[in-house]
Amino acid sequence: MCSSDLTTWLASGEITPEDPVPMEFVGEFLKFVTMHEVGHTLGLRPNFRGSTDTPMSKLHDKVWTGTNGVVNSVMEYPAPNIQSDGGPNGHYYTTTVGTYDKWAIAFGYTPDPRRAEELARQGAQDGNVYATDEDARGRGALDPTVNVWDLGDDPLAWSMDRCALIHSLWGRLPQQVLYDNQPHYELTDALSTLLVNYARSLAPAVKYLGGQEVNRDHVGDPRSEEHTSELQSQF
C-alpha cells in the first residue's frame, strides 16, 4: 500500500526520489496495520464494506475521521486516503477503531446469550455494515458497495476521482521520477505501480453493471424494513 502513495507523490512533485516518506503517513499506516492484525487475533474477519459508512465529503475532515475513523472498521482493506484536488489531506489511514469493530467484539465476547441475540439483530444499523471475503471476491462478488481498496460511501464517485488522479500523472512520470544517475527501470516500476492502482480503482465501477446489493439482516431487525422496501422497488 505504501508504494502507491509514494508513486503518486513522486509523480505529482510533492517529494523527490531522494526524500523520505512523510513520517505522518508512516505512523498512521503502522497504527492501522497493528489495529488490523490485533483484530484478527481477537477473531474478526475482513470487513470490505467498512468504507461505505464514511461520506465522501468527510474523507479529508480530520475532526470527523478522528472521531469516526476513515472507515467504520480496522478490518477493512482501504485505499490510501489521498486528496486529489490539491487541498489539505486528511488522515491517510484510519486512526481509531470503528463502530463495527466495537459492535462485533461486543457480540463475540458477551457471556450473556440474550445480549448476544440482541446485538446480532443490529446488523442493518448505521455503523455496523459488514461484508467479507466471499462477498468481495470471485464470480459471485456483484455488490458494488463491497470492494477491496476503495473509500467512501459512493464507490463509483471514488472510482472516478481516483482514476482521474492517476490519469493526470501519466505525462509527468519521466520528469518526476528520473533524476540524474537514476536507472531507467525506476520509470518502469512507477508506471507499473500506477497501472495496478488504476485497475484497482476501476474495479468498483464494473459491479454497477448488473450487480446487486446484499444484506445480512433478517425480517424484523431494526432498519430491515428499509432494505425490504429497496428490494421491492427493484421489481
Side-chain angles (χ1 to χ4, degrees), residues 102-112 115-120:
K102 297 173 184 177
W103 170 67
I105 291 297
F107 167 76
Y109 284 85
T110 179
D112 183 351
R115 175 59 175 160
E117 182 178 351
E118 177 186 331
L119 287 165

Side-chain angles (χ1 to χ4, degrees), residues 149-172:
W149 316 123
D150 71 332
L151 284 173
D153 63 348
D154 189 338
L156 185 59
W158 176 87
S159 177
M160 294 172 64
D161 181 75
R162 187 55 57 97
C163 285
L165 170 63
I166 296 174
H167 188 270
S168 71
L169 302 177
W170 299 132
R172 286 180 274 167

Side-chain angles (χ1 to χ4, degrees), residues 45 49 123 130-132 134-135 214-218 221 227:
R45 297 185 68 191
R49 208 180 214 156
Y130 172 75
T132 193
E134 56 266 27
D135 306 303
V214 179
N215 296 290
R216 284 184 165 83
D217 49 283
H218 294 178
D221 287 356
H227 291 160

